[in-house]
């Protein structure tokens, strides 16, 4: 698809999206939601917690991570409601949190920008540790099979903190590539506030890209890793997209033509035009196309036109009136894909809609979807419908963000939130002793403020049950892109 040149189609009817969905009329405090979406990350922290920790029901945990390798792997985030540190989704979370700040940080209140940078740095400090040794990357800490058989606070963990490492010539292009993207994106986020740290991040990203690209393959194909990574965060979609994603971020952060050439030369061989209908921790294609399109739209790099064509095509799949529409929606208007943690699709896609809308708007362009020309504002409205649904404009009348609004999930699938805080109950609670809390129908005693749960089913129905982890478990990669989305709408609340 090619974009409509600015002002050449004055007689063309510009599409304004009108969905056949029920219209809800509540107003949202996007700034409050933004603040809470960032606060959530403090509840996911592993390691030594700082004195200014705001979610005070959490305490230090996993303080000896890495000891079996005689290395320091303390810190980082637990990905969801368990106590494992999975490197693949953590790196993606970091990339999206950083990208949120790169695109929308300028419009955030200084206090929230500062909080968000702290959230990024909690991840990047850890990611730097995972790649501190040449030709080795630590991809995970914690045996998920053992961890998932327990229901215990991170502060009480007595399960194996197994360390999973990949050494050259074994491959980990996916995790290493996503780590490169995370460090490169974060280097841009920190550039104005901590130039030295930003340079460290970018320099490390350049080095790790050599490892990712030189030894090509998926980390979960490694027999020593597979038992820990799968089926949780297996690489199902291949490692090729992470190499392009990493190169695209290195190009954006460094402006080095080496990476521009890499994206140009490797687009076809690494499948740039494949699987463009989703964006998440395992599939980066839509994100790559949107990110690289900036080069075409704002820098006239027409050698990358195919990436922009793919980005346009992706946007058209999201438009119900478009002949190429194939994204599924619930009756209430939520983007829906089968599987768990559905809201991850809504938040990532909303983020891409807003980023692409900004790129188009700066160059006065729109998206050509066959007979329809879709304006940047139409894309923003599409994102706003998703945001408002998540915050409460849905058939359940329920906010899917914990602590936001009057009605939200109270029995989320999250160990630390559902067990008594170590501050209130300092006695050790062992692996199986936590089962009574897991099976309880009582609300969680500790509010994981800002957590966005997996969300409702295809029928818009959500039952507030801890046991239904596909719907009731929050994850860091649901929240990360939502930070950017909320930052946009906090600054532009009257988009219509």
């Amino acid at each position: 698809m090619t974009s409509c040149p600015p002002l050449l189609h004055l007689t063309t009817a510009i599409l304004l999206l009108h969905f056949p969905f029920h219209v809800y009329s509540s107003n949202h405090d996007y700034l409050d939601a933004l603040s809470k979406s960032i606060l959530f990350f403090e509840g996911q922290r592993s390691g030594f917690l700082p004195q200014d920790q705001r979610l005070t029901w959490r305490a230090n945990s996993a303080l000896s991570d890495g000891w079996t390798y005689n290395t320091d792997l303390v810190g980082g985030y637990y990905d969801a409601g368990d106590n494992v540190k999975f490197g693949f989704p953590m790196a993606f979370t970091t990339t999206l949190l950083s990208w949120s700040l790169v695109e929308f940080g300028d419009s955030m209140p200084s206090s929230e920008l500062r909080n968000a940078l702290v959230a990024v740095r909690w991840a990047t400090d850890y990611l730097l540790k995972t790649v501190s040794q040449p030709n080795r990357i630590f991809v995970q800490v914690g045996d998920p099979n053992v961890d998932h058989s327990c229901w215990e606070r991170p502060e009480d963990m007595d399960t194996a903190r197994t360390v999973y490492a990949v050494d050259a010539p074994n491959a980990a292009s996916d995790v290493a590539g996503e780590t490169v993207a995370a460090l490169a994106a974060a280097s841009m986020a920190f550039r104005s506030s901590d130039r030295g740290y930003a340079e460290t991040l970018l320099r490390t990203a350049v080095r790790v890209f050599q490892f990712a690209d030189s030894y090509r393959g998926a980390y979960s194909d490694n027999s020593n890793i597979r038992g820990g990574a799968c089926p949780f965060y297996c690489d199902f979609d291949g490692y090729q997209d992470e190499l392009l994603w990493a190169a695209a971020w290195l190009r954006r952060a460094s402006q080095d033509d080496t990476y521009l050439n890499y994206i140009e030369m490797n687009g076809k061989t690494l499948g740039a035009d494949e699987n463009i209908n989703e964006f998440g921790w395992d599939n980066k294609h839509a994100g790559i196309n949107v990110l690289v399109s900036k080069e075409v739209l704002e820098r006239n790099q027409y050698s990358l036109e195919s990436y922009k064509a793919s980005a346009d095509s992706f946007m058209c799949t999201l438009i119900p009136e478009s002949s190429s529409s194939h994204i599924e929606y619930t009756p209430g208007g939520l983007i829906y894909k089968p599987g768990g943690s559905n809201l991850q699709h809504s938040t990532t896609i909303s983020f891409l809609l807003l980023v692409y809308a900004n790129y188009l708007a700066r160059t006065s362009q729109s998206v050509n979807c066959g007979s329809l020309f879709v304006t940047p504002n139409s894309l923003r409205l599409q994102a706003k419908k998703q945001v408002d649904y998540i915050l409460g404009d849905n058939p359940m009348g329920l906010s899917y963000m914990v602590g936001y609004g009057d009605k939200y999930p109270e029995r989320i699938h999250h160990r630390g939130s559902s067990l008594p805080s170590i501050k209130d109950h300092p006695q050790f609670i062992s692996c199986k002793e936590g089962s009574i809390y897991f099976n309880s129908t009582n609300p969680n005693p500790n509010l994981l403020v800002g957590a966005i749960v997996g969300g409702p089913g295809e029928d818009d129905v959500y039952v507030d049950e801890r046991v239904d982890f596909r719907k009731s478990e929050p994850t860091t990669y649901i929240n990360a892109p939502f930070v950017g989305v909320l930052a946009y709408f906090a600054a532009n609340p009257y988009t219509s």
Side-chain angles (χ1 to χ4, degrees), residues 253-270:
S254 70
Q255 291 301 305
D256 188 327
D257 285 346
T258 301
Y259 304 109
L260 176 66
N261 296 335
Y262 186 98
I263 301 164
E264 288 175 350
M265 301 298 292
N266 290 281
K268 290 295 182 187
T269 57
L270 295 178

Side-chain angles (χ1 to χ4, degrees), residues 346-405:
S346 179
T347 60
T348 55
I349 288 172
S350 295
F351 180 81
L352 292 183
L353 283 163
L354 292 178
V355 170
Y356 203 54
N358 275 4
Y359 294 169
L360 291 168
R362 287 185 201 129
T363 51
S364 302
Q365 297 202 44
S366 56
V367 181
N368 181 350
C369 297
S371 60
L372 300 174
F373 288 98
V374 184
T375 64
N377 204 48
S378 294
L379 299 179
R380 291 170 178 144
L381 283 171
Q382 170 81 312
K384 190 171 188 292
K385 287 182 171 68
Q386 297 302 300
V387 174
D388 290 348
Y389 184 108
I390 291 171
L391 295 180
D393 294 3
N394 56 64
M396 298 289 294
L398 181 71
S399 162
Y400 289 105
M401 176 185 284
V402 174
Y404 177 84

Side-chain angles (χ1 to χ4, degrees), residues 46-48 61-66 71-76 85 126 129:
S46 182
F48 291 97
S61 62
L63 302 183
S64 59
D65 280 2
T71 193
D72 173 13
L73 293 176
V74 176
K85 297 193 303 201
Y126 173 79
K129 294 178 181 182

Side-chain angles (χ1 to χ4, degrees), residues 239-308:
Y239 63 87
Q240 294 88 344
D241 53 334
E242 278 81 26
L243 289 176
L244 283 174
W245 180 235
W249 272 109
L250 283 171
R251 164 63 178 174
R252 177 84 178 263
S254 70
Q255 291 301 305
D256 188 327
D257 285 346
T258 301
Y259 304 109
L260 176 66
N261 296 335
Y262 186 98
I263 301 164
E264 288 175 350
M265 301 298 292
N266 290 281
K268 290 295 182 187
T269 57
L270 295 178
D273 54 355
E274 299 173 6
N275 301 319
I276 60 169
N277 64 338
E278 76 176 84
F279 180 49
W281 60 264
D282 189 33
N283 192 323
K284 313 298 156 48
H285 289 286
I288 295 165
N289 292 326
V290 167
L291 181 65
V292 174
S293 293
K294 184 179 173 70
E295 295 268 356
V296 182
L297 287 163
E298 297 182 16
R299 300 173 65 87
N300 300 320
Q301 291 285 355
Y302 294 116
S303 61
L304 302 173
E305 180 66 41
S306 63
Y307 288 90
K308 183 186 175 295

Side-chain angles (χ1 to χ4, degrees), residues 12-18 319 321-322 372-375 377-378:
T12 302
I14 297 296
L15 173 68
L16 288 176
L17 298 180
H18 295 289
I319 309 302
E321 292 87 351
S322 167
L372 300 174
F373 288 98
V374 184
T375 64
N377 204 48
S378 294

Side-chain angles (χ1 to χ4, degrees), residues 211-222:
F211 174 56
D213 194 41
S214 298
Y215 309 101
R216 292 190 178 188
Y219 87 120
S220 52
D221 288 347
N222 185 321

Side-chain angles (χ1 to χ4, degrees), residues 449-466:
V449 176
I452 303 171
V453 296
E458 60 188 328
D459 54 1
D460 293 303
V461 173
Y462 181 89
V463 180
D464 191 10
E465 292 179 341
R466 198 173 294 115

